[in-house]
Amino acid sequence: MDASNYRRVPVGVVAPRDAEDVAAALAVCAAAGVPVVPRGGGTSIAGQATGLGVVLDLTRHMNALVSLDPAARTAVVQPGLVLDRLRDAARPHGLTFGPDPSTHSRCTLGGMIGNNACGAHSVAWGTTADNVAELAVTAYGGASHRLGTGWRGAPDGLRELVSQNLAVLRTGMAGGAADGFARRISGYGDLDALLPERGTRVARAFCGSEGTLGVVTEAVVRLVELPAAPALAVLGYADESAAAQAAAGLLGYGPLTVEGMAADLVGGAASGLPRGGAWLFVEMRDEGAARALLRASDAVDGLLLTDPAAQRALWRIREDAAGTATRMPDGTMAWPGWEDCAVPPARLGAYLPEFRALLAEHGLRGSPYGHFGEGCVHVRIDFDLVTAPGVARFRAFSSDLADLVVAHGGSLSGEHGDGQARAELLPRMYGPSVIGIFETYKRVWDPAGGMNPGILVRPARLDENLRFASLPPALPFAGEVARCVGVAKCRSTEVGGPGVMCPSYRATGEERHSTRGRARLLHEMLAGEIVTGGWRSAEVAEALDLCLGCRGCRSDCPVGVDMAAYKAEFLHHHWAGRLRPLSHYALGGLPGWLRLIAGLRLARPLNLVSRFLRIPGLERSRPLPRLARTPFTRGWRAMVRSAGRSPLPALPPFPGAVPRTPWGSAPDPAPQTPARLDMADAGENQAPPAFEERGSGGWPPGTAPHAATGPGGARGTVEGRVGDLAPQGAHATVVTVWPDTFTEYLAPEAGHAAVRVLRAAGLEPRVQTGRVCCGLTYISTGRLDTARRVLRRTLDAVGDPQGPLTVLEPSCAAALRTDLPALLPEDPRAPRLAAAVRTFAETLEEYAPHWQPPRLDRPVAGQTHCHQHAVLGDAADRRLRERAGLTGELSGGCCGLAGNFGFEPGHHEVSVACAEEQLLPSLRAAAPGTEVLADGFSCRTQIAQLAGGRARHLAEVLAEGLPEGPPDGLPDGWPEPDVGGM
């Protein structure tokens, strides 16, 4: 499978290391009569990257930038090179590769050549074919060719084909690039480049052949000058038709892009756009040109952006459209199939209303967008590709739409190729004479017909080989698996920024360890044709084993695939009725073990023993975090009892407070061996999650929570206000601090710090008691039945919260926010508790908006928890840090420890590789005095073990800066600080 609706099962995959390997593989396959399909990033959306026979994966080894010549403005590339790697190398020279599909972070140059890809900037810089100078090609059977301009290197018979068909090539292929319509990509759309008057450009004619002629093993591509300071003009129009009609009129101003979107695609993101119901994103070479365009346009409203970061934020809306367009407003899925047909730009304004009418006529929905400046329209449509009537309607619509596109002088494909989705309809566009030449052209290059059969020439029907045929929706879990449409954003190798997905793919470079690869394996598991073990499948278990459960795909995947949830479901079935790995009991049952240890007061002896012994079933190179001698709630009760006996002095620092040691002031920890680092304090630093602004959850600020009785009869309690413990003010808002497992038993200092800060902000903190747990460790190890029991018990203990539940550990907050209602959909209390969950920063922002945190004025580094990024967001934390004078950014990505993942055998190498992406380099680069923050307990543990330093929870840092100093002595019953040296 690729990013299309199609599925064809190969007999095997070969990852050649060089052109000689390619030739050998093609020779062997030709001798055996086995077809071959070359494949790059697998982002094709018409089915041409799927195939029978042998698939050549050109991304594993043949992915080099061979050379770059800034003076000549050329580069020599291998076919598996990702486009962004070429652009990164060219950027320091003020150059770039002009074509830039929205998949630029993972699409390959070989795939772009195969599809004649375009992208947003093709209005200025042309298609891939316009930017290819030479190609090295290996044909089926192993023969090599070097193609450029002229007949040298061309296969035998090609020159004769052209000389015998000059009239047909000149008339039957009129209306293409030579006539001003650059987006005629369908078929062998540049075959007329072989005409003598067009320069006999054999390399150009090969572009867009979709792997049906041979395999590109190397290419010489042209580079273009990168504008020094491009500016983005965003033009608002009344509706889509008005924007489409205006697009062609803007071409005379020399734009770099003219991209169009309507309100039904943009949705909530429209709040940052100019007034209107549709928009054109017009990039110009500089601010002056953009201002001139704004003045000349007839837009309803306009916006000029010169800041690169602001431009990127808006471009992300467009780049993610291929994924976001797959979800209709009612949550149903939409699919490719007619993703990129194009008409001459002057016809676009007339074409789009007719296209919308055709959708309505067939009872279909879709949201068009795309390259309006070149008349190319992208759309995902809510086809029913499962039932027989739905597939019949898909076929009927396809036939009618092909006629509509041709009536407007257009191309069935405007940049992605025809594949299986449209090749059957090519005779409607070209006529029999041109189709006959296509067949002869294919025979000249591939007389045995072994290269990607069923594509372009003698094509398969557009309604066969549909991937949904093997995955009926009635199968349990099928809907979740089918959600992955294969756009492959998870294969991006970009490092930097807040994104997380997919750390295991970046660490291994293997498709099976990407979100898409795992989704495809789950698809095959449910289909049962190739992966026959069902839920006991060893292949699926192996692929999911390196899934960190970071949940980055939940937010970063354009269609919201949640592989952590899929992994939990798989493990639930995979180990049902069987003895599980020891780590599932040791780490999966962590809340129970820690509760038992605390009840028996065994923390101190176990901390001692753990220095010398390792728990069976866990990674031996990782020491265990030290257990707190006094759990958070026990310390809280001691404080409450003390406050009840005598007036409470100024609230002391949290028990266990560790004096701040500025980062960089200690000796360089680099020489330490991570496997030997003493984890005495690594587990004592925990930070609350931070996330985007949310509403008040249905209850007004200032409403005090109350204990409630759940259906199970257990009455929840919150321990807290005991007369003198109340903050100043008669109507202080009550907030309930959640004693998550990590804060309770491993990092109580974070809980006490949070309480102190909340009091200082004028709030009334209480602590939830009873056996409450988010179930995270049970979920991550696939013990879902146990997780449900734990969550029901938690609901019984809490009842109906009437105020905020402040959860300090991001992973626990995320579990309560998402997993709780997902696992207990029938319990009406679950969504109410989920809606009450707040992070530390969000609690302060919503319920103490006028409180000014202490001004700390220092730089920060550290880690944003991956669950915080994926589920909660960090906007509130960013604002809180800014108000406190904490400057700088925390690392994105995943720290690599990821809860139980880093402690499980066989994961250490990947765990460290993930930390080396962003986190560890940022800590090495941190200046002396930098405050290291990490909200998640796992993140702080990873920092302690791999960097040798102590990170802290944001609450700890703020509490340290509060004006109240420690009292002369702690109140009776206040636990002694539990601190160990690091």
Side-chain angles (χ1 to χ4, degrees):
M1 289 181 280
D2 51 12
S4 72
N5 298 325
Y6 299 98
R7 171 180 177 264
R8 295 191 292 173
V9 180
V11 297
V13 178
V14 173
R17 293 184 177 276
D18 50 33
E20 287 72 22
D21 280 359
V22 172
L26 289 169
V28 170
C29 289
V34 176
V36 173
V37 179
R39 179 177 168 113
T43 57
S44 298
I45 59 174
Q48 61 267 51
T50 70
L52 308 172
V54 169
V55 171
L56 295 183
D57 180 359
L58 300 167
T59 65
R60 290 295 304 277
H61 305 297
M62 298 183 66
N63 53 19
L65 171 60
V66 179
S67 64
L68 192 152
D69 186 340
R73 294 187 178 180
T74 59
V76 181
V77 301
Q78 289 185 323
L81 179 67
V82 170
L83 173 58
D84 269 1
R85 303 289 76 75
L86 172 60
R87 300 204 305 175
D88 291 345
R91 189 174 297 111
H93 305 287
L95 302 172
T96 193
F97 187 66
D100 58 340
S102 61
T103 55
H104 53 81
S105 65
R106 61 268 191 199
C107 70
T108 64
L109 271 296
M112 294 177 67
I113 292 167
N115 292 343
N116 196 6
C118 303
H121 286 87
S122 64
V123 69
W125 296 328
T127 68
T128 298
D130 293 317
N131 292 276
V132 166
E134 296 179 24
L135 295 174
V137 173
T138 303
Y140 191 64
S144 297
H145 304 267
R146 188 81 186 188
L147 311 178
T149 300
W151 296 113
R152 182 180 179 182
D156 294 339
L158 184 57
R159 186 171 189 171
E160 292 73 18
L161 168 67
V162 174
S163 63
Q164 293 167 11
N165 294 278
L166 291 173
V168 175
L169 289 172
R170 286 169 177 152
T171 59
M173 299 196 70
D179 301 301
F181 179 38
R183 289 302 187 109
R184 189 193 61 191
I185 304 298
S186 277
Y188 297 117
D190 269 313
L191 192 56
D192 55 346
L194 297 175
L195 288 167
E197 62 266 30
R198 294 199 59 196
T200 315
R201 290 177 285 177
V202 180
R204 182 186 180 101
F206 189 93
C207 294
S209 56
E210 302 185 28
T212 62
L213 305 181
V215 180
V216 173
T217 58
E218 191 173 270
V220 179
V221 297
R222 302 184 185 92
L223 305 175
V224 297
E225 183 180 357
L226 191 65
L232 180 63
V234 184
L235 307 177
Y237 293 88
D239 54 35
E240 178 182 79
S241 293
Q245 290 169 357
L250 302 177
L251 299 180
Y253 293 90
L256 302 178
T257 69
V258 184
E259 298 290 290
M261 289 174 287
D264 54 356
L265 176 73
V266 175
S271 60
L273 299 176
R275 289 180 296 112
W279 298 270
L280 293 178
F281 284 29
V282 186
E283 186 177 86
M284 303 297 290
R285 291 187 176 276
D286 54 43
E287 182 178 352
R291 291 190 180 280
L293 179 83
L294 280 171
R295 289 193 297 268
S297 73
D298 59 351
V300 173
D301 195 8
L303 175 67
L304 176 63
L305 296 173
T306 57
D307 176 60
Q311 294 182 48
R312 284 194 298 271
L314 287 188
W315 276 123
R316 275 195 292 271
I317 300 172
R318 166 63 185 87
E319 291 179 357
D320 284 346
T324 55
T326 63
R327 304 293 289 182
M328 304 306 295
D330 60 2
T332 56
M333 293 292 291
W335 308 102
W338 283 93
E339 173 68 21
D340 64 319
C341 48
V343 299
R347 301 290 306 164
L348 184 61
Y351 166 77
L352 279 176
E354 294 183 46
F355 171 76
R356 292 268 194 181
L358 187 63
L359 282 174
E361 180 183 330
H362 285 268
L364 298 169
R365 296 173 297 166
S367 300
Y369 65 97
H371 314 296
F372 280 21
E374 291 196 295
C376 183
V377 177
H378 295 311
V379 65
R380 299 283 172 122
I381 300 171
D382 64 338
F383 297 119
D384 168 10
L385 298 174
V386 176
T387 68
V391 173
R393 181 166 58 172
F394 166 61
R395 183 174 185 84
F397 173 82
S398 298
S399 177
D400 290 347
L401 182 56
D403 291 339
L404 177 62
V405 171
V406 171
H408 282 274
S411 176
L412 304 184
S413 171
E415 70 175 334
H416 294 310
D418 300 297
Q420 189 179 335
R422 291 176 289 269
E424 183 187 357
L425 301 171
L426 285 174
R428 302 191 184 202
M429 177 178 168
Y430 284 113
S433 297
V434 173
I435 296 298
I437 292 179
F438 287 174
E439 292 175 352
T440 305
Y441 183 52
K442 161 80 169 171
R443 281 197 300 273
V444 166
W445 272 103
D446 180 25
M451 294 301 306
N452 209 1
I455 302 298
L456 291 186
V457 171
R458 297 179 294 278
R461 298 191 315 274
L462 61 86
D463 54 353
E464 65 179 324
N465 300 322
L466 292 170
R467 65 184 177 97
F468 310 95
S470 64
L471 190 64
L475 286 173
F477 202 46
E480 288 84 352
V481 171
R483 177 191 292 262
C484 175
V485 295
V487 295
K489 191 175 181 182
C490 51
R491 282 179 56 101
S492 172
T493 56
E494 287 181 299
V495 175
V500 173
M501 183 180 72
C502 176
S504 57
Y505 173 76
R506 290 194 298 272
T508 65
E510 295 186 34
E511 170 83 12
R512 64 176 176 156
H513 295 307
S514 69
T515 304
R516 181 179 72 173
R518 294 180 176 118
R520 297 313 196 206
L521 276 169
L522 287 167
H523 179 118
E524 297 301 337
M525 180 197 78
L526 295 178
E529 297 175 10
I530 304 168
V531 178
T532 56
W535 292 106
R536 297 291 173 91
S537 165
E539 301 95 328
V540 178
E542 184 178 1
L544 286 171
D545 181 58
L546 289 186
C547 171
L548 285 82
C550 67
R551 312 195 84 154
C553 46
R554 180 185 173 93
S555 60
D556 297 346
C557 172
V559 296
V561 167
D562 188 350
M563 192 52 62
Y566 301 177
K567 178 180 180 179
E569 184 73 19
F570 173 81
L571 292 175
H572 170 68
H573 292 283
H574 186 72
W575 293 108
R578 296 196 290 171
L579 189 66
R580 288 171 168 268
L582 290 176
S583 64
H584 286 201
Y585 300 106
L587 298 175
L590 189 65
W593 292 118
L594 294 182
R595 182 180 179 87
L596 177 63
I597 292 167
L600 297 174
R601 300 181 183 266
L602 295 175
R604 184 173 294 183
L606 286 177
N607 285 336
L608 178 63
V609 170
S610 69
R611 292 176 179 268
F612 308 102
L613 299 178
R614 293 290 181 261
I615 296 178
L618 301 187
E619 173 61 46
R620 296 189 61 81
S621 64
R622 278 199 184 272
L624 296 175
R626 195 175 73 166
L627 306 177
R629 294 198 298 267
T630 306
F632 169 51
T633 54
R634 189 181 299 166
W636 172 262
R637 286 194 295 270
M639 181 181 69
V640 171
R641 287 195 301 270
S642 174
R645 289 195 301 269
S646 61
L648 186 71
L651 192 65
F654 46 92
V658 178
R660 173 175 177 261
T661 302
W663 191 264
S665 61
D668 185 359
Q672 294 179 319
T673 303
R676 294 173 179 256
L677 285 177
D678 183 353
M679 263 304 294
D681 284 336
E684 298 189 1
N685 313 295
Q686 179 160 341
F691 60 125
E692 60 204 2
E693 289 187 81
R694 294 181 180 270
S696 60
W699 30 264
T703 302
H706 63 276
T709 303
R715 185 173 181 81
T717 62
V718 286
E719 290 191 348
R721 192 159 78 86
V722 184
D724 301 313
L725 198 60
Q728 297 297 318
H731 303 289
T733 300
V734 174
V735 297
T736 302
V737 178
W738 186 268
D740 63 82
T741 294
F742 305 98
T743 302
E744 173 73 353
Y745 301 111
L746 296 165
E749 66 277 7
H752 293 297
V755 167
R756 185 167 183 234
V757 173
L758 293 171
R759 280 197 77 236
L763 303 175
E764 183 179 333
R766 301 181 179 184
V767 176
Q768 179 70 50
T769 61
R771 294 191 65 182
V772 295
C773 178
C774 68
L776 172 67
T777 61
Y778 304 104
I779 295 167
S780 63
T781 51
R783 300 171 64 183
L784 298 186
D785 290 337
T786 303
R788 291 185 180 96
R789 289 197 299 271
V790 167
L791 290 171
R792 288 192 184 98
R793 186 180 66 211
T794 295
L795 290 174
D796 292 344
V798 175
D800 243 347
Q802 299 298 306
L805 297 176
T806 302
V807 184
L808 303 180
E809 167 61 37
S811 56
C812 296
L816 291 169
R817 183 70 62 79
T818 59
D819 295 318
L820 168 61
L823 288 172
L824 301 178
E826 77 290 345
D827 195 323
R829 299 172 300 165
R832 292 198 288 269
L833 190 151
V837 170
R838 296 292 184 274
T839 63
F840 172 70
E842 188 179 45
T843 300
L844 290 171
E845 185 168 86
E846 289 189 29
Y847 298 96
H850 302 297
W851 177 65
Q852 178 58 48
R855 191 76 188 178
L856 304 174
D857 293 321
R858 66 183 72 139
V860 297
Q863 180 73 50
T864 298
H865 195 288
C866 48
H867 288 197
Q868 180 175 329
H869 165 81
V871 177
L872 309 169
D874 66 346
D877 268 46
R878 288 173 180 270
R879 289 188 287 268
L880 181 57
R881 293 199 303 266
E882 182 180 1
R883 292 173 64 198
L886 297 171
T887 58
E889 295 292 328
L890 305 187
S891 296
C894 180
C895 76
L897 189 59
N900 56 294
F901 178 85
F903 284 98
E904 293 177 331
H907 294 171
H908 188 69
E909 183 178 350
V910 170
S911 176
V912 174
C914 293
E916 285 289 358
E917 281 193 338
Q918 294 191 55
L919 175 59
L920 295 181
S922 73
L923 296 181
R924 295 186 193 110
T930 297
E931 184 70 59
V932 180
L933 296 175
D935 287 0
F937 179 77
S938 290
C939 307
R940 294 197 301 278
T941 301
Q942 185 81 316
I943 290 171
Q945 293 195 354
L946 300 185
R950 184 177 190 271
R952 297 199 290 175
H953 188 295
L954 179 59
E956 296 180 70
V957 177
L958 293 179
E960 182 184 72
L962 292 176
E964 304 102 319
D968 294 334
L970 292 174
D972 292 339
W974 189 277
E976 292 297 322
D978 179 26
V979 181
M982 182 63 200

